[in-house]
Amino acid sequence: MELAYYSDYAVTLVNTEEPARSKDSLTSVEAIRELFGANQQAARRATDTDVTRFRSVRARLRAVFEAADDGDETLAVDLLNSLLLEFPVSPQISGHDFRDKDGKPDWHMHLADHPSNATAGYAAIAAMGLAFHLTSYGVDRLGLCQASPCRNAYLDTSTNRSRRYCSDRCATRANVAAYRARKRLETERAAETGRTAEAAQTSTARTDR
């Protein structure tokens, strides 16, 4: 398993909140446990106090995406490094549950956390995964959706670094809005051209008199 895979943990956590819409789905222990997915053992460590802790880590991860989206690479790296220092992990070779065609362990790298609580465990994996993604693909591959008011985080894996939206839905919505804006502008320009032509004709008629 590529270590950059763990970067999805960061995206999933950041997108539990939509600031512009005043929406926040991270409101309970159950919501935290859902973030861990299949990692149920880690999820069982979650308690009510982790809700506030998770929100704090979420704000710090969003700040990384905001800095990257603004083109401030140094700030993005500094913010991520502070998370890595606070929430360390130990890379380990693992072969559990993965077998090749001959039945031998399919050895791969795994991030082993040693947390004191559920937040520390999740934050460690999310920060390390995001760090691997950033160093492998570039800071400019971390972005925030450009379809207003959505500002969801995303990881750009396109070949030409062209991604601007968190989903196809937002991309479609943005394209429709841009199309309508262009049509309004064309209509306004046509109307202005018509008024200008009419005024010119009126002026010419008056001169001819």
Side-chain angles (χ1 to χ4, degrees):
M1 180 182 295
E2 295 182 1
L3 294 180
Y5 158 82
Y6 290 103
S7 57
D8 288 340
Y9 279 66
V11 173
T12 300
L13 176 56
V14 170
N15 291 346
T16 59
E17 181 184 29
E18 297 181 70
R21 294 189 174 107
S22 298
K23 292 183 178 181
D24 188 347
S25 62
L26 194 59
T27 58
S28 65
V29 174
E30 289 70 25
I32 289 176
R33 288 173 179 164
E34 289 180 4
L35 290 174
F36 284 94
N39 195 351
Q40 295 302 318
Q41 183 177 357
R44 283 194 291 270
R45 294 196 296 259
T47 65
D48 289 333
T49 56
D50 281 301
V51 175
T52 300
R53 292 172 181 159
F54 261 76
R55 287 178 172 177
S56 176
V57 171
R58 179 180 65 188
R60 295 171 66 182
L61 286 170
R62 175 172 283 278
V64 174
F65 279 91
E66 289 175 341
D69 192 62
D70 289 339
D72 194 336
E73 295 191 5
T74 300
L75 178 57
V77 170
D78 287 345
L79 292 171
L80 190 50
N81 272 335
S82 69
L83 284 165
L84 292 170
L85 288 172
E86 186 173 345
F87 304 105
V89 295
S90 300
Q92 295 180 354
I93 299 174
S94 175
H96 63 83
D97 299 331
F98 292 93
R99 299 282 173 174
D100 62 19
K101 62 181 180 179
D102 297 321
K104 297 179 180 180
D106 183 10
W107 301 113
H108 61 279
M109 291 301 296
H110 174 75
L111 295 182
D113 57 334
H114 309 285
S116 56
N117 54 66
T119 304
Y122 192 98
I125 293 174
M128 182 60 77
L130 196 58
F132 273 105
H133 192 97
L134 184 152
T135 54
S136 296
Y137 302 106
V139 180
D140 59 340
R141 293 299 187 120
L142 280 60
L144 294 173
C145 187
Q146 299 302 303
S148 181
C150 178
R151 293 292 282 167
N152 276 352
Y154 65 83
L155 298 170
D156 184 4
T157 56
S158 64
T159 56
N160 58 355
R161 299 173 182 263
S162 62
R163 185 170 179 179
R164 295 294 180 270
Y165 307 104
C166 68
S167 64
D168 290 340
R169 179 181 180 183
C170 276
T172 299
R173 184 160 55 83
N175 289 334
V176 170
Y179 172 77
R180 290 175 176 172
R182 287 196 302 271
K183 295 302 290 184
R184 283 196 301 270
L185 182 59
E186 290 174 2
T187 300
E188 291 171 359
R189 285 177 175 173
E192 181 63 29
T193 300
R195 287 193 295 269
T196 300
E198 183 178 350
Q201 290 177 353
T202 301
S203 177
T204 300
R206 289 174 179 174
T207 301
D208 291 341
R209 292 174 186 173

